[in-house]
Amino acid sequence: MSSPDPDSWVVHKFGGSSVADAACFARVAAIVESQPGRRLAVVLSACKGVTDALLQLVNSAERQDESWRAALQALRERHATIAAALLPAALVQEYLAEFDRDAADLDSVLRTTQVMRTGGLHVRDRVSGYGEIWSTRLFWRYLQQRGQRRDIHWIDARTCVIAEWGPLGPGIQWPVSSERLHKLLPPAAATLIVTGYIASDPAGIQTTLGRNGSDFSASIFAALLSAAEIHIWTDVDGVLSADPRRVPDARVISALSYNEAMELAYFGAKVIHPQTMAPAVGRDIPIWIRNTFAPEKPGTLICAHPNSDQPVKGITSIDEVALVNIEGAGMIGVPGTAHRLFGAL
Ligand code: ASP
Ligand code: MG
């Protein structure tokens, strides 16, 4: 692989388990600061469990169960605790003032949901997206405070990623998204802290990229920034050659082609989702899968033409699949047999 242009962007994405608490935020900041690239875009998920907790608020409000008030307060406590551990008091105040504005909006939405007895899709999208806003605003202040990176900007992906949901999932409107991002990007920007998961629809209403959508966000931003690489930071060492629960000596695969990664994902391996990779594959952007908790390990490289002498990369399986074998003279040339068979199944 040729070394990337020093002026090009590298996108780093950290999932929810990588930003679970204050120690995790510190670990992520140290990883970001140790990167050689001048221009980094850091895409974050919500803190671990927060998206589920937010969706639970809507479920409770729909059931007329007032416990959402206490649950919302618990989310505030959790973020306040992380902020207090990482930021000086004035910045904690500033962070919590923003948080409380969001919480007031959430309170109105949830009260309305309680009256309506149903939240609906737009409400779920809106409510579930706060987790990424809260994690990135916190990390943005924290990274600035540490003083190692320059020109750090917070990017709310709802202002630039325009996605329209269709039968195949969210479709990105590339020309408008690109125009919006480049309009809001300051020329000197060297570090972007970007919300994963959320976007806007063409009418400007908040939408999401679906559950676990932050990998897709990373790939979208890599495409929009013409990035040289994507690093997906997670809690495993890379893509494994087999399911470690069944094959104790499963190994980390050092390099895979996009096609091999897609095949493994299709057959159940815990690789990134094929749809996630599409914007990167289309632009030939290499993807690294790396461990936040062991950043010294090399991880797995997924690219168009990996250098590898391993003909077999991995083995994967899908559970509880039955193979039904039907035979007999009546099968051959008798119209309607297949129809009856599939009908019975
Ligand atoms: N926070 C979102 C979710 O839990 C998106 C993500 O983590 O990728 O689905
Ligand atoms: Mg997640």
Side-chain angles (χ1 to χ4, degrees), residues 230-286:
I230 303 175
H231 295 237
I232 305 278
W233 292 89
T234 173
D235 51 11
V236 292
D237 287 346
V239 180
L240 293 175
S241 57
D243 182 341
R245 284 164 305 183
R246 293 171 192 223
V247 183
D249 58 351
R251 291 182 303 125
V252 172
I253 306 171
S254 58
L256 277 172
S257 71
Y258 293 126
N259 281 337
E260 288 165 336
M262 282 194 254
E263 286 278 301
L264 279 176
Y266 183 71
F267 289 105
K270 222 183 133 220
V271 196
I272 46 177
H273 193 280
Q275 179 206 32
T276 296
M277 287 192 279
V281 176
R283 291 160 185 82
D284 222 339
I285 304 173

Side-chain angles (χ1 to χ4, degrees), residues 126-324:
R126 174 84 196 183
V127 172
S128 72
Y130 280 109
E132 274 69 12
I133 308 249
W134 296 337
S135 64
T136 51
R137 277 204 200 122
L138 210 169
F139 187 72
W140 168 65
R141 287 198 170 80
Y142 177 51
L143 201 65
Q144 249 168 347
Q145 176 63 26
R146 287 170 60 111
Q148 300 290 309
R149 297 274 323 168
R150 290 175 309 106
D151 296 301
I152 310 174
H153 300 270
W154 180 64
I155 304 282
D156 177 347
R158 296 175 300 185
T159 60
C160 48
V161 175
I162 310 300
E164 184 165 32
W165 275 80
L168 299 178
I172 305 306
Q173 300 197 339
W174 293 103
V176 249
S177 302
S178 172
E179 194 190 309
R180 297 254 186 119
L181 176 63
H182 287 98
K183 207 175 270 170
L184 68 87
L185 212 60
T191 312
L192 308 179
I193 310 301
V194 182
T195 56
Y197 182 56
I198 50 178
S200 289
D201 75 6
I205 296 172
Q206 182 184 322
T207 185
T208 75
L209 301 171
R211 290 310 304 272
N212 302 314
S214 298
D215 286 349
F216 193 32
S217 304
S219 179
I220 292 167
F221 275 89
L224 293 174
L225 295 166
S226 303
E229 287 172 2
I230 303 175
H231 295 237
I232 305 278
W233 292 89
T234 173
D235 51 11
V236 292
D237 287 346
V239 180
L240 293 175
S241 57
D243 182 341
R245 284 164 305 183
R246 293 171 192 223
V247 183
D249 58 351
R251 291 182 303 125
V252 172
I253 306 171
S254 58
L256 277 172
S257 71
Y258 293 126
N259 281 337
E260 288 165 336
M262 282 194 254
E263 286 278 301
L264 279 176
Y266 183 71
F267 289 105
K270 222 183 133 220
V271 196
I272 46 177
H273 193 280
Q275 179 206 32
T276 296
M277 287 192 279
V281 176
R283 291 160 185 82
D284 222 339
I285 304 173
I287 304 170
W288 287 89
I289 311 289
R290 301 181 62 182
N291 192 346
T292 310
F293 303 90
E296 69 288 354
K297 296 197 176 152
T300 296
L301 169 64
I302 306 175
C303 62
H305 304 289
N307 263 331
S308 165
D309 47 13
Q310 282 173 284
V312 176
K313 300 288 167 52
I315 298 174
T316 165
S317 61
I318 302 178
D319 284 340
E320 294 181 32
V321 177
L323 180 66
V324 181

